[in-house]
Every structure is written in structure tokens, then in C-alpha cells.
Amino acid sequence: MAIDAGLFWRRLSQLQTCFKSEGHWRKVDAISILALDRSDETSFNKSSACFLHLFGRELPGSLLIMVEDTMHIAASCTKCANLEDLLHRKPPSMENFTVVIHRISMHSDVEIVCKHLIDVIRQSRGGTRLGCLTKMQHSSNLSDSWNANLLKAGIDKVDVTSLLGMHMSTNDDYAQLCVRRAATVTHKVLKHGTIRLVEDAFDEARPVTHEELAAKAEDFCENPSKINLKIPPGPLESCYFPIIQSGGDYDLRPSASTNERFLSDDVVVVSLGARYKSYCANMARTLFIDPVPQIQNTYSVLLDLRRRCLDVMRAGFQLRCVAEAARSFISEKHPNLLGCLPKSLGFGLGLDFREAALILNSKNPNLFAPNMVFSLSVGFHNIPLAPAEKAAARGSVRKLSKYSILIADTVMIQARSLIVDLGT
């Protein structure tokens, strides 16, 4: 698959503009991104996101160095052959920017290239501070040689993980299209696939485990034609193994896992997300079977809370406004639920499923900007259910001493209006 040259040069121009002009980037003299080898780490990571953002592919085992007017890429001969076409398709607007490709075929090449790139960094600005992904640690000939040369040269590493995450969070037209398609798949799989499986299991009184349901939901995400959903060709996969919970044991965190317990006819929380062309969407819903009035009333409160949160997700507002609005509303109207409110109410979405710089908690001072995409996840965890409140209950609700509820949606920030709820 050929690299989209137009997209590459547009995004490279945007990164160059930020690097040359924005205050936080002035704290580093150059940027270094090392793409992890697939053999070292199979999970998605920030270096994967950076290479996908620029090149539309991960280029494992490659090294990217950027200074003000030049980008250097060190990679294998095969990868370099795929990159060379970019040099012949440079737009006039990037006439003064140079892309240099370094072929690496043997260990001796690695040392020569690394020493040359050290000299490049030394000649950029102050030449001593290198912006990189400090938490990404792995071992390969290239990474080992690169780190050894940095140490020998006395160049300091400065973490720019959050800066890169913020830079990539404002989605261009291509990214918006991919996110919308991911959101459509997510919504359709949940509504027409997963929920229908849950309903069929109850209607047929057929025992089924959470894990069995989640495996089928994941299959729907990756093969949406099984639920008669047509989607334009492109890489499609599940962002994570779907999370299905019931029976009084719940975890509302995005890192939660599905267990092997049987589905219970009480309160069922379903969470899943699809990734289309590497861009993510997320959604969660809570299903109620014969809910008692206390559960119904709490769900109504959650819907009101969701509306309050959406009201402050506006361009120019701080991200912490979401958590502050939520706590203010619950403290004033429903103080009994304050202890059940999670500290985080969502996170930024994009090439990264969970952008660490865009967590919706009470401490995040970053600002909402147009075309950012978020998973707004509002819920209450471990709500007590007293015996008197379930005295007239039917089914497994009678066995619950506590329950949790969750609603999550993929939303996009707009420039002059309220957010757009994608996929629903």
C-alpha cells in the first residue's frame, strides 16, 4: 500500500509549524521517535501512533529525527524504498523543508547513521535537549546503538509524549472520516450484534458466559458483514476485548476485563470499541432486566448527569470542567451518589485509544479544541441496593446488594456549536 503523500506533507507541515513556533516545543532542540520492533512489543503505543499519523503505517524498527527544517528517517532498505516516492511529491509549500532517508542494512550502518544524527541534533538550536518518548523502552540494534550514542554525547532526553498526543488530537478531515466510521461500526455492533445476543440468551433461557458474548462481539467488530453492516474497505479491528459484566461484580475503568462468569438477568454493562484505519471509537450501555424503581431513578439521574457533562465540552473550556460540573451537579442534587462517581469521566480518542494528555478528570487544565474526539464515560460504581428497595424485585435483581451503571459515547468537539455525538 502506497503512502498518502498529500497527507504526509500536510501533517509534517503542521508538526513543523508547532515545533518552530509553540512555546512548549521550544524546550527541546530536536524530536526523536523510535518505532518499536513488532517482536519487542505487540500492543499499540505512542510511537506506533506517531508513525501512523505521518506515514499511515508503523514502520517498526525505524528512527525519526526532526529539527526545524529537516526530517531524518533511518530505516531498512525495504522501508526506505517505500518512502522515497515522498521526496518526488513534495508540495511547493514545503520547498524549504528537507526529508533525508538513511538506509540501514548492517550493524556498521547503524553506528554511522547514529553518529551522523547526533551531529544533526547538536547543530539544532542549543543542541543538548532531545524530545522523545521516554517511557518507550525496548532493545534492538538500532535502539541500543542510538541510546548509547546519546549517552556518550551528553544529550538530555525530554519527554514529549503529552505534546505529541496533544498535537495529534486535533483531527483533520481524513482522521474525522475514520473516527466517524469507527463510531458507526461500534454503535451498530453494540446495538444490532451484542445487545441482540444478550436478549436472545435471556429469551431462550440459555446459559452463556460474559467471555463467550465478548468473543462474539469482538468478531462482529472485525467482521461487521456478519450483522449485515457494509463499511468501506480498510483495516478494521476491535480496540480492546469487549467488556461485559453483570451479577453485581463491576469495574467501570477502561482497563477492566471480562470474566468467565455466566450472564445474569439483572444489570448488564456492555462496553466495546472499534478501530478503523487505526482510529478509535468507544461506546458503553447498561441493560436492565426487571429493574426496581431505585435502579430506574438512578439511571434517570445518570442521563441528567450526561447532559450536564456535554454542556461543558466546548472549544476553549478546560477539560477539568467536565468532572467539576459532574461533582457539582451530584453534590447539589443527589449527594448520596457522590461516593459512586468515578474520578475520571472519559478520555481523548484518536490513534491512541486512551490519550493520557486528555483525561477528563478534575486536574486536567488542557483545553478542548475543535475536532478533538473524546469518549465521554459517565457512570456510578457500586450503588448500594437495600433489601427494602428490592423487596418486590423479580429475577436475579433480588440477589444484588450493589450494582453499577455506565453510559459511554464517542463525541467530537465543534468550533461554534455543541459537540457531535458520533455513531448514535
Side-chain angles (χ1 to χ4, degrees):
M1 182 179 67
I3 297 174
D4 187 329
L7 190 64
F8 166 77
W9 286 108
R10 285 197 302 274
R11 291 183 172 180
L12 180 57
S13 175
Q14 293 163 359
L15 180 59
Q16 181 204 20
T17 299
C18 288
F19 181 65
K20 292 180 69 172
S21 61
E22 292 192 1
H24 291 298
W25 285 108
R26 305 302 296 182
K27 298 177 182 178
V28 297
D29 303 314
I31 303 170
S32 166
I33 304 173
L34 189 63
L36 306 189
D37 287 322
R38 274 301 190 182
S39 58
D40 292 332
E41 184 168 319
T42 57
S43 62
F44 200 82
N45 53 68
K46 184 64 73 180
S47 71
S48 300
C50 292
F51 275 85
L52 280 165
H53 177 75
L54 285 173
F55 303 99
R57 56 184 66 183
E58 296 184 51
L59 301 180
S62 303
L63 174 64
L64 182 154
I65 302 295
M66 182 170 173
V67 292
E68 287 199 354
D69 297 310
T70 308
M71 172 182 283
H72 294 260
I73 308 167
S76 66
C77 293
T78 302
K79 295 185 181 72
C80 288
N82 293 328
L83 295 172
E84 285 177 343
D85 183 54
L86 297 173
L87 305 183
H88 305 296
R89 301 174 67 184
K90 181 166 65 171
S93 61
M94 294 294 285
E95 182 180 359
N96 296 324
F97 191 93
T98 303
V99 173
V100 182
I101 297 175
H102 303 270
R103 293 174 178 268
I104 298 175
S105 59
M106 300 182 297
H107 182 68
S108 57
D109 296 334
V110 173
E111 277 297 307
I112 293 171
V113 169
C114 286
K115 289 178 180 178
H116 173 69
L117 293 179
I118 291 294
D119 291 337
V120 168
I121 294 170
R122 281 176 166 162
Q123 295 170 26
S124 177
R125 297 179 181 172
T128 60
R129 300 162 301 175
L130 180 64
C132 51
L133 307 175
T134 58
K135 296 180 181 179
M136 306 303 304
Q137 301 292 333
H138 75 301
S139 179
S140 68
N141 286 339
L142 178 58
S143 63
D144 292 347
S145 178
W146 179 239
N147 288 322
N149 276 279
L150 286 176
L151 184 63
K152 184 177 179 180
I155 294 176
D156 296 327
K157 293 182 179 181
V158 179
D159 188 37
V160 292
T161 303
S162 293
L163 286 177
L164 285 169
M166 290 295 294
H167 171 74
M168 294 186 292
S169 67
T170 302
N171 296 283
D172 54 23
D173 291 344
Y174 174 82
Q176 290 178 48
L177 177 62
C178 293
V179 170
R180 288 178 184 275
R181 288 178 176 168
T184 296
V185 172
T186 301
H187 172 239
K188 299 298 184 183
V189 167
L190 192 146
K191 181 178 180 180
H192 301 296
T194 312
I195 291 179
R196 190 165 295 173
L197 289 174
V198 173
E199 292 173 341
D200 289 346
F202 290 139
D203 291 343
E204 299 167 10
R206 174 171 46 87
V208 61
T209 67
H210 298 145
E211 191 171 49
E212 289 171 336
L213 288 171
K216 291 181 179 179
E218 183 176 49
D219 187 35
F220 290 153
C221 280
E222 298 175 355
N223 302 282
S225 60
K226 292 185 177 181
I227 56 171
N228 299 317
L229 175 62
K230 294 182 180 180
I231 196 79
L236 182 63
E237 60 184 337
S238 181
C239 293
Y240 56 91
F241 190 64
I243 305 167
I244 300 180
Q245 306 172 81
S246 67
D249 185 12
Y250 305 93
D251 184 348
L252 302 187
R253 295 173 297 178
S255 59
S257 59
T258 295
N259 60 41
E260 297 180 358
R261 295 180 183 177
F262 284 102
L263 182 68
S264 180
D265 58 340
D266 40 48
V267 178
V268 183
V269 177
V270 180
S271 305
L272 59 87
R275 188 191 297 270
Y276 179 78
K277 291 188 176 180
S278 301
Y279 286 88
C280 301
N282 190 50
M283 191 173 186
R285 288 293 183 268
T286 303
L287 313 179
F288 305 100
I289 296 85
D290 296 322
V292 295
Q294 195 260 33
I295 294 177
Q296 293 176 327
N297 293 337
T298 304
Y299 185 67
S300 295
V301 174
L302 186 64
L303 294 176
D304 288 339
L305 175 62
R306 178 180 179 274
R307 285 189 286 269
R308 298 295 182 104
C309 291
L310 289 173
D311 282 345
V312 296
M313 294 181 71
R314 299 171 183 261
F317 283 39
Q318 291 184 321
L319 270 63
R320 65 186 181 193
C321 291
V322 176
E324 290 172 352
R327 290 190 64 84
S328 176
F329 171 70
I330 296 301
S331 297
E332 180 181 350
K333 302 292 185 179
H334 308 279
N336 59 304
L337 292 171
L338 189 58
C340 303
L341 185 67
K343 293 181 179 179
S344 170
L345 298 179
F347 43 85
L349 287 169
L351 290 167
D352 267 330
F353 173 70
R354 183 175 181 270
E355 175 51 60
L358 298 175
I359 304 299
L360 298 179
N361 59 30
S362 60
K363 299 179 180 179
N364 197 333
N366 288 323
L367 303 179
F368 287 111
N371 301 325
M372 283 183 171
V373 176
F374 290 83
S375 172
L376 175 64
S377 305
V378 293
F380 296 122
H381 185 234
N382 286 344
I383 308 158
L385 189 60
E389 294 172 320
K390 57 182 179 178
R394 295 184 297 173
S396 298
V397 174
R398 291 174 296 181
K399 302 176 184 178
L400 293 179
S401 60
K402 62 182 184 302
Y403 65 98
S404 299
I405 53 179
L406 177 67
I407 302 174
D409 290 289
T410 301
V411 297
M412 182 180 293
I413 309 301
Q414 299 294 286
R416 296 183 178 86
S417 62
L418 296 179
I419 56 88
V420 174
D421 195 344
L422 299 180
T424 56

